[in-house]
Amino acid sequence: MGLGGCILLIAAGAILAFATDWEMDGINLTVTGLIMMAVGVIGVAAFTNARRKTVVPPGATVVETEDDHHRHGL
């Protein structure tokens, strides 16, 4: 799930939790909305954390040995 999907979960969850007055038997829409918002926030945190780890600083040198090529089947 990308960043857009996480933001969509947060928005849809907020609408369900705070902007609706629907009632359904067996489903609490307020709790459902809060759960959707929590999953969206966790997704945003995981997405931004993953993006932060993959950034390579400029000027970084990558050294590959011949053994690396054999291990990875290259």
Side-chain angles (χ1 to χ4, degrees):
M1 172 172 40
L3 184 61
C6 295
I7 292 172
L8 182 68
L9 274 176
I10 294 170
I15 290 170
L16 282 177
F18 305 119
T20 60
D21 58 353
W22 299 335
E23 291 185 20
M24 297 178 72
D25 291 334
I27 297 175
N28 187 340
L29 291 179
T30 302
V31 173
T32 303
L34 292 174
I35 290 170
M36 289 173 65
M37 289 172 36
V39 170
V41 168
I42 291 169
V44 167
F47 182 79
T48 56
N49 192 23
R51 296 270 300 172
R52 194 174 310 145
K53 287 183 179 179
T54 58
V55 175
V56 177
T61 304
V62 177
V63 178
E64 290 188 18
T65 63
E66 192 171 319
D67 292 336
D68 290 337
H69 291 289
H70 292 296
R71 265 189 256 144
H72 298 295
L74 299 174

